[in-house]
Amino acid sequence: MSTVSTRTAICESHSKLILVGEHAVVYGKPAIAMPFPLKVRVTIQKAVGPIMFESSIYTGPIDSMTVKMKGIKACIEESLRCVDQPFANLRIRIDSAIPLGRGLGSSAAIAIAIVRSIFSLFQQGLSEEHLFSLVQIAETYAHGKPSGIDTAAEISEYPIWFQKGKEIVPLVIGIPLYIVVADTGRNGDTHTAVDNVRKMYVSETEKVQNSLDEIGTIGELAREALLKGDVYLLGNLLYRNHEELKILGVSDGELNNLVEIARNAGALGAKLTGGGLGGCILALGESLEHAEVIATQLMDSGVSNVWYFSTEENILYSLK
Ligand code: PMV
């Protein structure tokens, strides 16, 4: 959604879930990601003076932003250069329902909504490819060497088949999926998790390569399962994917416990989603009612929040 006048532009972006393939995607394996209906809205207004930024984590002049937010600043700078505007005379406000650092792609979503707003305000066309490259400026500061899956999944309105450097393919899923997402409330650390896998790749090459290959195979099989509408096979692949992520050292006790709670509630599949070492798990239910049962059991275990939804409806249920 976007609203534009000569003085103000308001644009949104949604968050994302990685269904299968995180971490292995950094090594060129395929992954599947999909839109998650939590959203961020950015309002940009023309206002004379230095750029002022307003968000839940920082409010003030853009030049005094913390080092952590350097990527957003660089992305804004480059976007303004592209629309022939000075790095000044704006008020940027972020309203986000996406919890930060939980593997839901909050940083990419914020950057997407900012770039869209800048181009809308100055009435410039913006291709998906250009949007992708501008957002990757911010993502590179946030994640080191991001594969680009977060940005691609959040630009898309459909689930995507993603392989680094290759064309992004929208996936038409033949059946509704009933998905539960449980948030540990602990920030994940994608940068550290990706770094740990890289170090482990050096010290235990064969073990890590086997895991990456297995995740690649899981990705191929998951795509077939989605296209055939076989949710039972898909669920089984999610459990298998989680086991591989454990081997790669990016899961932890709480995430493993949540996967087991989902399994005991009859989930067809469950796994951590995103970078890991905190953050969220996702689980697959047989119906919306079943998703609610799984969600309730996860919530009762003391997590910070649980959402569930059907890919057929545009409604996100939250248990908080
Ligand atoms: O931003 P996160 O936590 O959803 O992680 C992105 C997925 C990784 O594969 C772990 C990293 C990447 O760049 O693809």
Side-chain angles (χ1 to χ4, degrees):
M1 191 212 75
S2 64
T3 308
V4 190
S5 75
T6 50
R7 293 199 51 78
T8 307
I10 304 172
C11 291
E12 290 185 343
S13 171
H14 54 72
S15 50
K16 67 93 191 49
L17 295 172
I18 298 180
L19 202 55
V20 288
E22 53 272 267
H23 287 286
V25 72
V26 174
Y27 296 80
K29 301 294 179 189
I32 299 172
M34 58 194 296
F36 183 46
L38 281 179
K39 289 192 175 158
V40 56
R41 169 182 296 182
V42 168
T43 307
I44 298 198
Q45 281 177 308
K46 291 182 185 167
V48 176
I51 297 178
M52 299 301 287
F53 200 84
E54 193 184 332
S55 75
S56 63
I57 51 167
Y58 174 76
T59 294
I62 198 161
D63 280 328
S64 308
M65 264 179 169
T66 59
V67 178
K68 262 192 145 179
M69 297 178 84
K70 251 182 148 175
I72 283 288
K73 186 180 162 194
C75 168
I76 292 169
E77 237 169 337
E78 182 58 16
S79 300
L80 286 170
R81 204 190 55 73
C82 291
V83 297
D84 279 331
Q85 293 294 321
F87 186 63
N89 306 329
L90 292 178
R91 186 180 296 273
I92 301 176
R93 181 190 153 102
I94 315 290
D95 292 296
S96 182
I98 311 169
L100 294 169
R102 308 287 167 71
L104 300 176
S106 62
S107 57
I110 289 169
I112 289 170
I114 288 177
V115 176
R116 281 182 175 152
S117 304
I118 290 175
F119 277 70
S120 295
L121 185 62
F122 297 105
Q123 293 166 3
Q124 300 282 319
L126 177 65
S127 68
E128 287 196 352
E129 291 73 23
H130 197 188
L131 174 58
F132 183 91
S133 68
L134 288 168
V135 172
Q136 285 305 93
I137 296 173
E139 284 295 275
T140 303
Y141 277 91
H143 290 320
K145 269 196 177 165
S147 65
I149 190 169
D150 287 15
T151 307
E154 292 177 350
I155 289 174
S156 173
E157 293 303 321
Y158 303 98
I160 55 162
W161 172 256
F162 181 92
Q163 210 165 356
K164 217 164 69 170
K166 298 206 176 152
E167 195 185 338
I168 296 156
V169 184
L171 287 181
V172 180
I173 300 181
I175 31 132
L177 299 180
Y178 303 102
I179 294 180
V180 182
V181 177
D183 178 6
T184 60
R186 280 183 299 120
N187 277 2
D189 186 346
T190 303
H191 210 307
T192 306
V194 170
D195 249 25
N196 288 353
V197 174
R198 189 169 295 127
K199 283 180 197 147
M200 195 173 166
Y201 191 86
V202 174
S203 60
E204 296 175 82
T205 308
E206 198 182 332
K207 178 174 154 187
V208 173
Q209 189 60 57
N210 286 343
S211 237
L212 298 175
D213 289 345
E214 176 64 12
I215 295 175
T217 305
I218 288 169
E220 303 275 356
L221 294 172
R223 170 154 87 163
E224 278 171 34
L226 279 170
L227 297 179
K228 280 196 309 212
D230 188 343
V231 280
Y232 298 96
L233 174 58
L234 178 66
N236 185 24
L237 292 165
L238 298 187
Y239 283 131
R240 272 173 62 186
N241 194 162
H242 186 72
E243 289 308 311
E244 297 303 328
L245 290 166
K246 275 160 76 175
I247 293 171
L248 293 178
V250 296
S251 190
D252 62 23
E254 187 179 6
L255 292 167
N256 297 341
N257 187 36
L258 294 178
V259 166
E260 286 317 304
I261 290 170
R263 195 195 300 270
N264 292 334
L268 304 179
K271 62 181 274 293
L272 73 82
T273 184
L277 299 180
C280 294
I281 68 142
L282 62 77
L284 197 60
E286 273 187 279
S287 62
L288 199 59
E289 292 71 30
H290 184 211
E292 186 181 357
V293 170
I294 299 166
T296 306
Q297 305 226 357
L298 286 163
M299 196 69 202
D300 288 349
S301 78
V303 292
S304 150
N305 201 356
V306 182
W307 302 270
Y308 64 98
F309 67 106
S310 155
T311 52
E312 267 193 336
E313 289 175 2
N314 203 12
I315 305 172
L316 183 66
Y317 301 89
S318 165
L319 290 199
K320 198 164 173 178

